Each structure stands twice: as structure tokens, then as C-alpha cells.
Amino acid sequence: MRVCLHVCVLTCTHLRCMLKCQRQGSCSISLGLISPRQVISQNLEPGCWPASPAIFLRPPPWPRGPEITGLTEDEDVQAMLRGSRLLKIRSRTWHKERLYRLQEDGLSVWFERRIRRAASKHIFFVQHIEAVREGHQSEGLRRFGGAFAPACCLTIAFKGRRKNLDLAAPTAEEAQRWVRGLTKLRARLDAMSQRERLDHWIHSYLHRADSDQDSKMSFKEIKSLLRMVNVDMNDMYAYRLFKECDHSNNERLEGAEIEAFLRRLLKRPELEETFRRYSGEDRVLSASELLEFLEDQGEDGATLACAQQLIQTYELNETAKQHELMTLDGFMMYLLSPEGAALNVAHTCVFQDMGQPLAHYFISSSHNTYLTDSQIGGTSSTEAYIRAFAQGCRCVELDCWEGPGGEPVIYHGHTFTSKILFRDVIQAVRDHAFTSSPYPVILSIENHCGLEQQAVMARHLRSILGDMLVTQALDSQNPEELPSPEQLKGRVLVKGKKLPATRSEDGRILSDREEEEEEEEEAEEALEAAEQRRRAKQISPELSALAVYCCATRLRTLEPSPGPSQSCKVGSLSERKARKFTREAGTSFVRHNTQQLTRVYPLGLRMNSANYNPQEMWNSGCQLVALNFQTPGYEMDLNTGRFLINGQCGYVLKPASLRQPNTTFDPECPGPPRTTLTVQVLTAQQLPKLNVEKPNSIVDPLVRVEIHGVPEDCAQKETDYVLNNGFNPCWKQTLQFQLRAPELGLVRFVVEDYDAASPNDFVGQFTLPLSSLKQGYRHIHLLSKDGASLSPATLFVHIRIQNS
């Protein structure tokens, strides 16, 4: 029996890793007794990029940005490509006209300044945009945009510390075009697969390296391309690759020759090796072979149906897909997808029990939230609150002081920081608190106002927040019991001082400010009572009434107070005091935090708004570990990593050992090692250049893996550095760690540029909880210092976790 098979697949002619195409009627392929698997495997080239209707590795002319993003015909994007003259607004008198134009890459915007600078200074990238707001929806436009109709105004808010861009267009329609266009481009960028991002990335460099824009590449231009993508290749080796692809022998690469060069450049030998281990010589995976790989990866609940679904999702070769086979290209697509990433994709949505008391959760918390810079002379802004909420923060701080005209203000008292109105901050809370998370927000009020302005604060809270504000206990039968995040969805809690509610038998006033045990000496007792009464007189009844579940108190002792439950009291202490409690009474501090909320704040001596290590406080179960969100660094990386899971909702359920009232857990004595983490650092891909102004500056990357947890678990180990290669460095080095409390551990992957004469330069990082780290071959998608994606930069590692 002979089988006659006619294969016709519509693809671009430059892609050669599809099945070889024969036009129906022009010929037929006599294959004899051969399976579809053999047909597919015999027509694949190893290590090729996927042949798909997508735009991977197109030959010149280089595709325009909207073509890459799939928005070629979009009218808004076309208008942005033509450019618009928009007014940039900084103050009531500073309005400067600028020409803004979308670049041909489709993902960056060029703008013209009066004073010319280097070209790179004239560009901002779509991927760095946090939000695009219409009308007067920024602090700047509310203050300075009164002369412009709201319909003509827009605000571009950026990630990290970059200031907002407030703009006014000549017409409402032109403003809308930019709002709609940027929104579409951001949505398309978010929807791009890692492979599409890589294609866009390489084509943008091809366009820049083609100096005469003739869609051909000389060897000099190829060398320029290599330096741009962060690789310093030996001239002889680079020229040999160049000549291997120069089939026309004219010292120019064009069309399919450029494609062949890129295929060699972008090859992933380590992936091919893993793929062949499971596929065998025919270079395709059946569903059962893919299942074997998934089981070796440690995928929980992997089934044949799961493997078949992965093939349907990630395989690009339609013929392979029809026969439930996966090619190397489909395998790479899978490993570069969120399902193939180091972070457990099941943990990226809300997956934890949200019905437990508030004290059972770590809660993302900010210190001096109003500041955009240091606490000495920095700027205060409502935008800082909006940015904190966008990052999932659920507890923000308001330092309230007497203001002119009877209106309280917020700033860092007795410093040169600027002031903002309390009222404006509460409006920002109303408008932005629940854009990223539905779970409750806590307003931590540090009150320095007199009684009259405290009453004004209470009125603003009630009138602006309305039903959002919690003004009475949800359960009148058990008013002292803390509710759950689920019960408090969409609600705002006030953490503030509380007026005395009861009197003891001897008539002494008891309030939430009394934490110490009763003293035996009557003189000290009398002095304490007098102090309580003095403080009570300073608290407005209107503001006191709003402190329902978060009654502020200073935590001076861990001894339980006599009388009714203290669950609604929130202890507040400095980082130094928290460390002292952990050292001297570890288990008692943990037990305290199973019942009550504790807020930890940085020492006042941190004048530059530096942060402390939050892991030390989480180890003892402290819930509200407040950090300066405006200050990037490893401390904020840890905070981002801690709250990366559970839908980034700002609430993470504490481990069981930190929730049980009678727990014996002590972070200083966690017991013997229980878990072994083995990380094999294999390769990295497309690391960013640190100095784009110097073409010959190439990174010498090394990888450091850090464990942050209880003191005995904290460790860091690093690989050797790879000389002059940020494009595809290879290490294949193994790092191993022993952990005693793995449920508290965070794993931080850091890439640095080695420097023998000075401290290494930061390249990128990614931090996540050990409990959310997946085993097997995984890609780690790197982030910048301020948390922005460095796509397509990745690390490729193998993870193994063994529990004893």
C-alpha cells in the first residue's frame, strides 16, 4: 500500500522550517509506508524559528511597528505616526508646545525639545507607561490645567519614579486619538508572546544597524548589530558566520541570507539538547513524550489531556498540531510562555483563602506614602498614592498637620517637603484605591492636628468616601473580632487613635494607648492615668469614631492585657524595636501577631528614605511592614516578590506556623533543615545594554541567587562571569541551598555586570516566594530596578526542590 500525500501550507517564503510546500496539482509526494510524524520530522530544520502566520524573522524591508503590533490599519495609531503638536503643562505659566510622534517601531514615542539632546533622551517607551488618563485626572492638571478644557487633556503616568506627562491637545478629538492609540498599543504589548517580543526586539535593532537603510547588511553593519544586542563576537568567527550566509558572495546579506544569519545567532543549543532527550532522532514530541517531560518537570496533575492541550496552544506548525505532535518551535513557545515560567501560573490569580481574620495576612504597606523622593526636601504628591495603589499597596500613610484656611495638610513635619491637602488625598483614595485590588485599604493616620481640623478630617472622610468607609463593626455581636479581607471588599479602614471607651473599677481611664502592665507603685499609676487623660483630650470624637478595627497604639510589651479581646488594636513600632522583640521574645512576638495587627516603620534616621529588610519582620508574622515605595532597591524587590502572588491583590496568607495562637515557632530557632533547593543556572538571553551611548560597552554577566528567610536560611551564591556576552551567555553552574523554614523563603535571581575594579552594576532581577517556584526547566523574566519588564531578557534555569 502506498500513501500519496499533498501538503500545502500558506506561509511567507522566507520561513523554511515548515513542511516543504508543494502546490497541489504541480506534483505529488510518494512517501510509501511512512507516518505523519516522520513526514513532519523529515522536513524540519533543527533550531529554526517557528513558521507561522505571525511575523517572526521577516526579511527586509523591516516591518513597521504597527505591523508588528497588528495595528497597521488603525486610524488612531496612524495619526500618532504622523505626530501631533501638544502642550506640555508643568505649572500655571509653564506650557510648552512639543511635537510628539509614534516611532516606526510602534512601541516608542519621540518628542521634540527646544534644546536638543542625544536622540535617546527624546524617547519614551510604551512598555514604561503605567496608565493613560483622560481629562483633569492628575494632580498637575487639576492644579494647572484650568485654562484647558478637560476633553482636550490627557495624562501619561509612568512606572517607577518618572514624573507624569500632562498634555493638552488642540482639539478633543486629537486628545482622544492619543488616549485610544496608547491604550491599544499597551493592550497589544501586554498580549504579545515572548517570541513576538523577541521578534520586535531583533527587528528594531536590525533597523538601527542598517545605517544606509538599503535593507541589506554589510559585515560592518552586522558587527554594529552584534554590539547593539550586547555581544562582542570575535571578528574571525563573526565573519565566518557572515560568509556562511552570504550565498550571493557579494559581501552583503539580504532577504533569506539575513534570516539565515539570525537563525544562527538566535539558536538555543541548551533547549535543543533537552528537546532531543525526549523526542529522539525524529525531532518531534508526541503527546505521551511531552507528558513524560511534564512529569519529570514535577508538574502537578499532568495528564495526557494536559499534554495534548499544550500542543494545541503552543505548536505553530498546523500539520504537527493536527497529529498531536510538538516541534522544537512549539516546545520553545511553551517554555517561554507564562506556563513555562518559574512563577507558578496558578498563583498569579487569587488562590488563597480570603475569609480569615485580617491578622492572618501579610498586607502590602507603604511608609510616608505621600513622598516622591526623600523625607527631608522631597515633593509630596497625590500621585504617590495612586502609584502605590497601582503596585497593590493596601495600607498607606497620611501624616496630617494643621493647614491654612482650616484645611489639614499632609507632609513630613518640620522638613522642607511640600504640602498637599488632606482632602485631595482622600479623593485620590476614592478614585484609585480599588483599581488594582478589591480588598480593603487601611489609611494609617499620623495625627498632628488640633481638635477643629481633626473634625474637618472626619467630615472629609465621611463625605468623600461615603459607603466605602467603615464606620461601625460589621458584626455588632462580636465588635472586637477582626473581619476578613473578603468581608471588607471595597471598604476603607481608618487606623487612628481612639478615645477611652471604658473605666476600670478604680475609675482609672483605660484606652487603646495603654499597653504596659499595671505598675505596682501608685505614684507611677497616677502619672500614667494623667497622661492617658491628657492624650484623650487631644483626640476628636468625630475622628475617634472612625477607628473601628484599627485602633492605633504603641506596642511596648508583648504581655497580654487583662480584659476583653485586643484584636482591634494595631501596635506600631520602629524597625529597631521589632528586631528587639524578635531576638528577645521570638515566639511571644509571633503569637501576638496571630491575634493583632502590627505595623513596623523605618527609623527616622533614614533621611534619604532608605528601606530596611522587610523579611526580618515577616519572619515574626508582622502584617503591616511599611516601606518607602518611592525608593528602589533589594528591599522593594523583596516586597514586590512577597506580594507577586495571590493576584497581586496586596494580601498574602501567612504560613500556618504564623497563624496558630499557640504556635511554638521562633524565627531565631527554626529547627533542622527541611528543604534542599538546587538551581542550575544554564543560560541567559538578550540582556539589556547598560551603556547604550557606548557601542563597545558589553556586559560581563554573572548570576547571583539569594535566599531571604529566617536568619539561618539567608544565603547567596553566584556563578562565574561570562566575558563580553550579554546576548546568550552560558554558565551551566549549579548552586544549592538548605532551608529550615521554606514556607517563609523568598528566592531572588540577580544578574550583574562584573567589574573587577568597582562594585558590579545591576542588570536585572526577579524575586518570588519559594512556595511559588516551579521545578524543572524554567525561564525567569527579568525586571529592571524600578520593576519594569526587561523583555525579552530572560534567564534559563533548572530548579529542583527536595523536601526531607
Side-chain angles (χ1 to χ4, degrees):
M1 177 180 173
R2 296 177 70 79
V3 178
C4 186
L5 177 64
H6 301 281
V7 181
C8 183
V9 182
L10 183 62
T11 63
C12 299
T13 57
H14 66 285
L15 293 168
R16 298 181 293 169
C17 59
M18 285 289 285
L19 300 172
K20 292 182 179 176
C21 186
Q22 306 290 333
R23 294 189 181 278
Q24 189 167 355
S26 62
C27 65
S28 63
I29 307 171
S30 293
L31 302 173
L33 293 172
I34 189 168
S35 69
R37 176 178 179 130
Q38 290 171 301
V39 172
I40 294 167
S41 67
Q42 289 176 9
N43 289 279
L44 289 173
E45 294 184 20
C48 291
W49 285 104
S52 80
I55 40 68
F56 299 126
L57 292 186
R58 300 186 188 197
W62 322 122
R64 289 163 61 88
E67 184 179 354
I68 285 177
T69 56
L71 296 169
T72 312
E73 306 299 326
D74 187 89
E75 292 182 1
D76 296 324
V77 173
Q78 289 298 321
M80 292 171 65
L81 283 165
R82 292 191 295 270
S84 300
R85 292 201 170 272
L86 308 174
L87 280 179
K88 181 178 178 179
I89 301 170
R90 280 188 178 172
S91 69
R92 286 188 178 85
T93 57
W94 199 101
H95 307 154
K96 302 291 185 183
E97 187 179 81
R98 300 280 188 263
L99 174 63
Y100 291 85
R101 186 168 64 227
L102 180 67
Q103 296 284 81
E104 288 193 352
D105 63 7
L107 294 177
S108 60
V109 175
W110 173 88
F111 55 97
E112 176 189 59
R113 283 191 175 120
R114 178 181 297 175
I115 301 174
R116 298 191 175 187
R117 300 183 187 177
S120 63
K121 303 294 185 183
H122 292 256
I123 291 173
F124 65 80
F125 295 93
V126 174
Q127 71 177 14
H128 294 160
I129 295 175
E130 182 75 58
V132 182
R133 305 183 209 143
E134 305 175 51
H136 294 170
Q137 291 298 311
S138 72
E139 185 177 57
L141 285 175
R142 280 195 294 268
R143 293 175 63 190
F144 311 129
F148 305 93
C152 295
C153 296
L154 67 143
T155 296
I156 300 174
F158 296 96
K159 298 174 182 176
R161 302 177 72 175
R162 184 168 181 167
K163 292 180 180 178
N164 288 354
L165 182 58
D166 292 322
L167 301 170
T171 66
E173 176 56 26
E174 194 154 10
Q176 278 298 307
R177 283 198 180 281
W178 277 86
V179 171
R180 291 192 302 259
L182 287 172
T183 301
K184 292 170 190 173
L185 288 169
R186 291 179 65 226
R188 178 65 188 98
L189 179 61
D190 289 343
M192 273 187 176
S193 70
Q194 185 73 3
R195 294 294 289 272
E196 288 176 299
R197 291 170 188 261
L198 178 56
D199 182 75
H200 167 263
W201 180 84
I202 195 66
H203 274 102
S204 67
Y205 282 111
L206 276 170
H207 184 81
R208 288 168 53 191
D210 185 13
S211 56
D212 52 8
Q213 297 298 299
D214 63 352
S215 299
K216 300 176 183 179
M217 302 292 288
S218 66
F219 179 64
K220 182 179 179 181
E221 289 171 330
I222 286 292
K223 281 290 290 179
S224 176
L225 170 69
L226 292 173
R227 286 192 295 268
M228 286 179 184
V229 299
N230 220 349
V231 59
D232 185 18
M233 193 179 289
N234 175 276
D235 278 0
M236 291 182 63
Y237 179 66
Y239 188 67
R240 192 178 81 210
L241 286 183
F242 178 86
K243 291 305 292 181
E244 285 175 1
C245 302
D246 183 18
H247 304 303
S248 58
N249 203 32
N250 64 352
E251 298 296 321
R252 294 284 189 278
L253 301 186
E254 55 184 308
E257 295 173 336
I258 294 175
E259 176 205 339
F261 183 83
L262 293 178
R263 183 176 296 119
R264 284 167 170 77
L265 189 64
L266 295 167
K267 207 167 182 180
R268 297 281 304 273
E270 78 285 7
L271 272 181
E272 291 179 36
E273 180 185 339
T274 303
F275 183 77
R276 287 201 195 100
R277 197 178 308 143
Y278 291 88
S279 67
E281 291 302 316
D282 56 11
R283 303 199 305 278
V284 286
L285 286 173
S286 66
S288 59
E289 288 169 335
L290 179 57
L291 175 59
E292 181 187 356
F293 171 76
L294 296 176
E295 290 173 341
D296 289 349
Q297 287 273 90
E299 290 285 356
D300 295 330
T303 63
L304 189 63
C306 174
Q308 292 167 338
Q309 182 58 48
L310 289 177
I311 291 172
Q312 295 305 310
T313 302
Y314 297 107
E315 179 53 54
L316 299 171
N317 185 312
E318 287 300 325
T319 305
K321 188 185 293 188
Q322 289 169 14
H323 292 91
E324 293 187 344
L325 297 171
M326 179 175 272
T327 64
L328 173 59
D329 296 319
F331 186 67
M332 294 170 77
M333 286 288 285
Y334 162 60
L335 285 178
L336 283 167
S337 75
E339 288 186 273
L343 174 65
N344 190 336
V345 72
H347 292 187
T348 58
C349 58
V350 176
F351 72 99
Q352 294 180 331
D353 176 11
M354 301 303 287
Q356 299 195 32
L358 287 177
H360 286 188
Y361 298 85
F362 295 128
I363 304 172
S364 181
S365 305
S366 165
H367 176 66
N368 289 349
T369 312
Y370 47 89
L371 289 178
T372 59
D373 208 327
S374 78
Q375 64 184 36
I376 298 301
T379 301
S380 303
S381 173
T382 57
E383 291 296 330
Y385 288 90
I386 297 171
R387 292 189 180 195
F389 289 137
Q391 294 177 65
C393 182
R394 298 289 85 192
C395 178
V396 295
E397 185 177 27
L398 294 79
D399 282 1
C400 305
W401 296 80
E402 293 268 318
E407 285 291 339
V409 295
I410 291 176
Y411 81 112
H412 199 264
H414 310 301
T415 67
F416 296 108
T417 59
S418 61
K419 301 174 183 179
I420 51 178
L421 290 175
F422 176 85
R423 178 183 61 214
D424 290 345
V425 171
I426 303 306
Q427 288 173 346
V429 172
R430 177 196 62 197
D431 296 338
H432 300 278
F434 301 104
T435 53
S436 297
S437 170
Y439 292 104
V441 164
I442 300 172
L443 304 183
S444 180
I445 293 179
E446 187 173 313
N447 178 22
H448 303 277
C449 294
L451 294 179
E452 289 185 9
Q453 292 204 11
Q454 286 183 45
V456 173
M457 289 164 57
R459 286 200 299 272
H460 286 328
L461 286 164
R462 288 182 180 272
S463 63
I464 295 171
L465 296 178
D467 291 340
M468 287 183 177
L469 186 66
V470 174
T471 58
Q472 59 185 15
L474 304 188
D475 183 356
S476 58
Q477 300 299 313
N478 299 289
E480 293 293 327
E481 288 187 6
L482 284 176
S484 69
E486 190 66 31
Q487 291 174 297
L488 290 166
K489 267 187 173 180
R491 306 299 297 276
V492 177
L493 300 169
V494 170
K495 181 181 90 68
K497 299 174 183 177
K498 190 78 170 173
L499 279 169
T502 60
R503 292 177 180 270
S504 63
E505 291 181 3
D506 60 3
R508 186 165 63 85
I509 295 176
L510 299 174
S511 79
D512 64 344
R513 302 196 59 92
E514 183 175 73
E515 301 94 18
E516 297 187 14
E517 291 180 299
E518 292 190 23
E519 300 290 341
E520 292 183 1
E521 294 81 9
E522 293 184 2
E524 288 188 18
E525 195 173 59
L527 285 172
E528 179 68 14
E531 176 66 9
Q532 294 285 351
R533 285 192 291 272
R534 187 187 69 78
R535 289 171 177 171
K537 290 176 183 177
Q538 297 174 346
I539 305 169
S540 156
E542 296 92 338
L543 193 58
S544 169
L546 300 182
V548 178
Y549 287 117
C550 297
C551 305
T553 180
R554 288 199 178 276
L555 187 59
R556 294 193 177 96
T557 177
L558 296 175
E559 292 297 327
S561 301
S565 170
Q566 305 285 306
S567 297
C568 292
K569 290 188 176 181
V570 181
S572 188
L573 62 160
S574 72
E575 56 177 290
R576 180 184 292 154
K577 188 68 174 287
R579 290 193 191 99
K580 183 180 179 183
F581 278 154
T582 300
R583 279 195 315 270
E584 298 178 359
T587 301
S588 296
F589 196 23
V590 171
R591 287 182 179 178
H592 172 88
N593 291 326
T594 65
Q595 303 288 330
Q596 296 177 226
L597 293 172
T598 297
R599 181 177 183 271
V600 183
Y601 54 87
L603 285 172
L605 296 175
R606 295 180 179 271
M607 300 300 183
N608 61 348
S609 293
N611 282 312
Y612 56 90
N613 184 343
Q615 183 66 47
E616 299 176 84
M617 315 310 162
W618 291 324
N619 289 341
S620 297
C622 298
Q623 302 87 352
L624 303 166
V625 181
L627 298 178
N628 291 292
F629 271 47
Q630 76 275 20
T631 308
Y634 88 91
E635 302 92 347
M636 275 304 298
D637 292 343
L638 297 183
N639 195 74
T640 301
R642 174 66 65 197
F643 295 101
L644 181 66
I645 63 169
N646 209 31
Q648 298 183 53
C649 73
Y651 284 80
V652 169
L653 190 64
K654 297 196 291 187
S657 59
L658 300 182
R659 304 196 310 266
Q660 298 159 351
N662 296 317
T663 182
T664 57
F665 179 77
D666 184 345
E668 297 292 306
C669 304
R674 293 188 282 133
T675 299
T676 301
L677 169 66
T678 305
V679 180
Q680 187 180 16
V681 182
L682 298 169
T683 59
Q685 296 75 42
Q686 292 83 52
L687 299 176
K689 274 183 81 75
L690 298 185
N691 193 340
V692 294
E693 307 299 331
K694 294 184 179 179
N696 292 323
S697 175
I698 310 295
V699 300
D700 303 327
L702 62 81
V703 177
R704 184 172 65 253
V705 179
E706 303 171 355
I707 303 298
H708 297 266
V710 296
E712 290 189 50
D713 285 349
C714 292
Q716 59 181 43
K717 297 180 181 180
E718 62 186 35
T719 66
D720 299 328
Y721 68 90
V722 175
L723 187 65
N724 287 337
N725 187 352
F727 184 75
N728 55 1
C730 178
W731 293 277
K732 292 189 176 179
Q733 290 182 248
T734 300
L735 312 174
Q736 195 169 83
F737 304 89
Q738 301 290 326
L739 291 96
R740 293 162 174 77
E743 66 277 9
L744 277 167
L746 291 171
V747 186
R748 184 170 181 252
F749 297 88
V750 189
V751 181
E752 291 184 340
D753 179 16
Y754 173 77
D755 194 321
S758 61
N760 295 344
D761 292 321
F762 176 88
V763 175
Q765 70 85 34
F766 188 77
T767 307
L768 75 168
L770 177 65
S771 57
S772 297
L773 179 63
K774 297 203 76 173
Q775 298 193 68
Y777 291 98
R778 301 291 171 185
H779 279 98
I780 294 166
H781 300 263
L782 296 173
L783 303 175
S784 68
K785 250 179 193 173
D786 60 6
S789 169
L790 290 175
S791 179
T794 54
L795 281 178
F796 187 53
V797 299
H798 184 272
I799 304 292
R800 189 179 181 195
I801 302 172
Q802 298 167 285
N803 296 312
S804 58

